[in-house]
């Protein structure tokens, strides 16, 4: 999305704040909520998908990762297209595509069809999300805009926390024998209603000056992520054949090519995907490090938790989803009160979040080591509540605190980079953390020991990030 927010820092529509009525804003936020929900709701259904479609653990990782990579690489492209052709138009196109791809995912006869549909679903989601933030920015100012952005943060926290709970309910209910397919099919009627509401309620806006689309940069970013993700997910089950090592080695020249292209594009004033000048800002470098640490570990944990609880712990999909209910409560509390606390504590709020999150995961590790496999949602409630509360204190204010220390002229660029890194790291988390977990779970560690190792690793990373976060206190 990069500079679309910068390009629309002033309203391009002269209509008053009422141009974006509460019902229209709710429709926009819902449009952003649906693609985010789809990333997390799938985790609890993975064991059922693997059994029904005879998918390997690596292919299940790709079900999660391919969606995230599609969103990450096309967010900026979707934002630029919305600036040029109209944000309402792109929002509707994306939501229609997302609904159609959800239906194809629901009826997929094989894992191959499901993976292709997931990529297309992610691409459609990438057309929706940037239009939400850009429309809010172009039509609202001051307190109205701050309140709308807070609603967007609540939607993100709710999607992350409630996704797996909803997935567990749908899989367990097994309505009409649909099983895991209901996780995708539920998007269809909801998406249709969203399209009808958006077409009638959301006003059309465009950028005052359209930005060029860096298709080459997006292609190079996608190539880099595929070269990294594919061998990490498929290498372990295949015994690490030669092609996996060649792909990993090829990521180095791919990253170099991406960097060279971005520098040349910026020098030629062609609106690069990841502007190097923004990456030179101290606050952005710190913010990216924090985003990578948080979203990689969070995305990875959500993936492995579903596998562990429905594996040796013998929980049903519903029980596995309900195990995350305390985490959802923690997320929702911080999503609601986080913006107010951010004003008071600034970066100190994120420091507190890292510490609380680390404590929660440490307690979870103890539970996994001492109680496994005799665990249930009640026995895991305390560590999940603590971890969820801490995670919310990190995630909700992260973008606002970082961008608050970036010059206003570059805030839009910075927000696009942070959103892209968020989606990228959620996808890579399933690949990296998931591969580490599966390797340990298949050894003498067992699934309980592997889950404890992942939880302790997140604890260590959380504590390491506290002094890094403290650097955001000074500009």
């Amino acid at each position: 999305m990069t500079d679309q927010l910068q390009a629309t820092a002033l309203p391009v529509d002269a209509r008053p704040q009422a141009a974006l009525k509460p019902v229209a804003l709710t429709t926009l936020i819902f449009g952003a909520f649906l693609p985010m929900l789809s990333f997390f709701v799938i985790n609890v259904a993975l064991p059922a998908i693997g059994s029904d479609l005879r998918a390997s653990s690596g292919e299940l990782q790709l079900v999660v990762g391919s969606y995230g990579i599609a969103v990450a690489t096309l967010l900026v492209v979707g934002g630029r297209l919305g600036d040029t052709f109209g944000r309402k138009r792109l929002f509707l196109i994306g939501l229609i595509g997302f609904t159609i791809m959800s239906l194809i995912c629901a009826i997929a006869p094989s894992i191959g069809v499901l993976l292709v549909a997931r990529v297309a679903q992610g691409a459609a989601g990438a057309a929706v999300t940037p239009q939400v933030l850009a429309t809010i920015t172009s039509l609202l100012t001051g307190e109205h805009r701050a309140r709308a952005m807070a609603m967007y943060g609540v939607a993100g926290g709710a999607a992350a926390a409630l996704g797996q709970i909803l997935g567990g309910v749908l899989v367990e209910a097994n309505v009409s024998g649909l099983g895991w397919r209901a996780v995708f099919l539920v998007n269809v009627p909801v998406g249709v209603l969203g399209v009808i509401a958006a077409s009638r309620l959301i006003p059309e806006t465009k950028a005052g000056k359209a930005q060029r689309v860096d298709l080459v940069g997006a292609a190079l970013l996608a190539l880099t992520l595929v070269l990294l993700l594919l061998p990490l997910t498929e290498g372990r089950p295949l015994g690490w054949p030669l092609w996996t090592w060649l792909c990993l080695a090829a990521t180095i020249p791919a990253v170099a090519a991406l960097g060279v292209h971005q520098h040349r594009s910026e020098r030629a004033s062609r609106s690069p995907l990841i502007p190097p000048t923004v990456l030179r800002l101290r606050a952005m470098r710190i913010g990216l490090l924090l985003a990578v640490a948080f979203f990689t570990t969070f995305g990875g944990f959500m993936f492995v938790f579903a596998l562990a609880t429905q594996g040796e712990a013998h929980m049903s999909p519903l029980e596995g989803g309900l195990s995350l209910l305390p985490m959802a409560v923690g997320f929702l509390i911080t999503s609601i009160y986080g913006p107010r606390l951010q004003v008071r504590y600034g970066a100190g709020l994120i420091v507190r979040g890292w510490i609380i999150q680390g404590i929660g995961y440490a307690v979870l590790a103890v539970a996994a080591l001492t109680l496994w496999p005799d665990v249930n949602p009640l026995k895991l409630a305390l560590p999940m509540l603590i971890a969820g509360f801490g995670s919310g204190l990190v995630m909700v204010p992260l973008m606002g605190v970082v961008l608050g220390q970036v010059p206003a002229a570059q805030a839009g660029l910075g927000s696009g980079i942070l959103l892209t890194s968020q989606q990228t790291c959620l996808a890579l988390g399933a690949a990296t953390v998931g591969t580490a977990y599966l390797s340990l779970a298949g050894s003498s560690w067992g699934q309980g020991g592997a889950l404890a190792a992942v939880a302790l690793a997140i604890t260590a990373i959380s504590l390491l990030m506290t002094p890094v976060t403290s650097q955001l206190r000074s500009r």
Side-chain angles (χ1 to χ4, degrees):
M1 194 169 43
T2 60
D3 51 355
Q4 66 170 344
L5 297 185
Q6 176 190 1
T8 58
L10 295 177
V12 298
D13 193 318
R15 288 172 290 181
Q17 302 291 348
L20 193 60
K21 297 179 180 179
V23 66
L25 176 60
T26 302
T27 302
L28 271 176
I29 297 297
F30 172 78
F33 173 81
L34 201 57
M36 289 188 286
L37 179 73
S38 188
F39 183 91
F40 294 100
V41 73
I42 190 65
N43 285 316
V44 75
L46 290 175
I49 292 174
S51 176
D52 188 27
L53 300 183
R54 299 180 181 179
S56 68
S57 57
E59 289 169 330
L60 293 180
Q61 287 174 280
L62 286 176
V63 170
V64 178
S66 60
Y67 177 87
I69 285 182
V71 175
T73 55
L74 295 174
L75 267 174
V76 177
V77 175
R80 297 275 170 78
L81 291 175
D83 287 345
T84 303
F85 298 106
R87 300 182 183 113
K88 175 180 178 178
R89 179 179 298 178
L90 261 291
F91 183 92
L92 288 171
I93 291 173
L95 196 53
I96 291 171
F98 184 88
T99 303
I100 293 172
M101 288 304 114
S102 295
L103 176 60
I104 295 176
C105 286
I107 63 176
S110 67
I111 189 64
V113 173
L114 179 60
L115 287 173
V116 173
R118 280 288 280 176
V119 172
Q121 189 187 35
V128 173
T129 303
Q131 317 316 326
V132 177
L133 292 175
T135 300
I136 289 173
T137 305
S138 65
L139 292 180
L140 300 178
T141 58
E143 182 182 346
H144 297 279
R145 183 188 295 179
R147 188 179 300 117
M149 289 298 188
M151 289 177 62
Y152 181 84
V154 170
L162 297 177
Q164 293 191 183
I165 299 173
L166 176 61
V169 171
L170 291 172
V171 174
E172 186 76 8
N174 195 28
V175 178
S176 300
L178 289 171
W180 62 268
R181 298 179 187 275
V183 170
F184 295 107
L185 196 60
V186 71
N187 291 333
V188 177
V190 175
V192 170
L193 291 175
V195 169
I196 294 173
S199 63
R200 297 181 178 181
L201 298 172
I202 298 176
E204 181 64 280
T205 62
K206 294 182 181 179
K209 179 181 178 181
Q211 300 290 330
R212 294 184 61 178
V213 178
D214 186 8
L215 293 177
V216 175
L220 288 172
L221 177 59
L223 175 63
T224 301
L225 293 175
V226 170
L227 288 173
L228 181 62
L229 175 69
L230 192 60
L232 287 176
T233 54
E234 297 299 314
R236 186 198 61 82
L238 295 178
W240 298 102
L242 177 61
W243 69 264
T244 60
W245 297 107
L246 293 176
C247 285
L248 288 172
T251 58
I252 298 175
V255 169
L258 176 61
V260 170
H261 174 73
Q262 297 303 283
H263 278 282
R264 289 179 176 176
S265 295
E266 189 169 60
R267 284 198 299 268
S269 301
R270 292 200 298 260
S271 300
L273 192 76
I274 308 172
T277 53
V278 179
L279 293 180
R280 295 190 193 107
L281 296 172
R282 181 170 176 270
M284 276 303 304
R285 293 198 302 271
I286 295 173
L288 279 174
L289 179 58
L290 298 178
V292 169
F294 178 80
F295 290 110
T296 300
T297 54
F298 183 74
F301 174 76
M302 286 297 188
F303 175 80
V304 304
F305 186 79
L307 296 182
T309 52
Q310 294 183 56
E312 290 177 353
H314 300 296
M315 290 190 193
S316 67
L318 178 59
E319 290 174 323
L322 288 177
S323 296
L324 289 166
L325 181 58
M327 177 173 273
V329 172
F331 261 114
L332 291 177
I333 291 173
T334 52
S335 293
I336 294 170
Y337 295 103
R340 191 180 308 168
L341 294 172
Q342 178 184 330
V343 173
R344 179 176 180 181
Y345 295 106
L349 181 64
I350 304 178
V351 172
R352 291 169 172 82
W354 284 119
I355 295 173
I356 295 171
Q357 172 182 277
I359 293 172
Y361 281 111
V363 176
L364 176 63
V366 173
L369 289 173
T370 58
L371 301 176
W372 201 269
D374 185 25
V375 293
N376 56 45
L378 185 60
K379 291 180 179 179
L380 298 178
L382 178 60
M384 297 303 288
L385 176 63
I386 297 172
F389 187 75
S391 297
L393 290 179
V394 174
M395 187 179 75
V396 172
L398 178 59
M399 184 175 292
V401 169
V402 173
L403 296 180
Q405 301 187 38
V406 171
Q410 294 171 306
L413 298 167
S415 66
I417 293 174
L418 286 174
L419 283 172
T420 299
S421 66
Q422 171 188 344
Q423 295 297 326
T424 300
C425 292
L426 285 172
L428 291 179
T432 55
V433 179
T435 296
Y437 166 82
L438 290 168
S439 298
L440 290 174
S443 68
S444 58
W445 287 64
Q447 292 183 359
L451 179 62
V454 168
L456 288 175
I458 298 176
T459 296
I461 292 172
S462 300
L463 297 179
L464 288 173
M465 287 300 105
T466 55
V468 177
T469 308
S470 298
Q471 298 303 309
L472 285 173
R473 292 179 184 274
S474 57
R475 295 185 177 230

